[in-house]
Amino acid sequence: MEILKKPLLTEKVTQLTEKLNRYAFKVDHRANKIQIKSAIEAMYGVNITAVNTMKYVGKLKTRNTKAGAVSGRAATYKKAIITLKDGETIDFYSNI
């Protein structure tokens, strides 16, 4: 099971990073906080003080086409917000 799927880089998360030293990741929906913490510490070499998780249920989406209304659902995912120790950062843009 690959625990970390990708980091989330949105305006809201950027503000969290600048003010509170928090980062957000999309993670596997079966992963727990302990697994998420160990995966991030191993990949980025940082010390984590807290892990908060939340599950997002995919929205119902519809669109009108020539053949009629087509309905579907956006993907469900789990998000983890991690808080780092003071003075530590994660650089997503360096070559790993």
Side-chain angles (χ1 to χ4, degrees), residues 57-72:
V57 179
K59 288 182 177 178
L60 191 61
K61 304 267 187 167
T62 58
R63 70 172 186 253
N64 294 318
T65 64
K66 289 180 183 177
V70 177
S71 63

Side-chain angles (χ1 to χ4, degrees), residues 62-92:
T62 58
R63 70 172 186 253
N64 294 318
T65 64
K66 289 180 183 177
V70 177
S71 63
R73 185 171 285 278
T76 301
Y77 65 95
K78 186 173 189 176
K79 182 165 89 171
I81 307 272
I82 58 125
T83 307
L84 296 181
K85 266 190 173 178
D86 290 336
E88 293 194 3
T89 59
I90 295 176
D91 185 17
F92 294 122

Side-chain angles (χ1 to χ4, degrees), residues 21-91:
N21 204 20
R22 292 183 176 180
Y23 295 86
F25 294 88
K26 264 190 186 180
V27 295
D28 190 275
H29 70 279
R30 296 165 292 183
N32 60 30
K33 292 181 181 186
I34 297 166
Q35 292 170 331
I36 294 167
K37 181 178 179 179
S38 62
I40 293 172
E41 285 178 342
M43 181 174 271
Y44 295 106
V46 293
N47 294 320
I48 296 173
T49 58
V51 178
N52 301 95
T53 59
M54 52 198 88
K55 287 187 175 184
Y56 281 92
V57 179
K59 288 182 177 178
L60 191 61
K61 304 267 187 167
T62 58
R63 70 172 186 253
N64 294 318
T65 64
K66 289 180 183 177
V70 177
S71 63
R73 185 171 285 278
T76 301
Y77 65 95
K78 186 173 189 176
K79 182 165 89 171
I81 307 272
I82 58 125
T83 307
L84 296 181
K85 266 190 173 178
D86 290 336
E88 293 194 3
T89 59
I90 295 176
D91 185 17

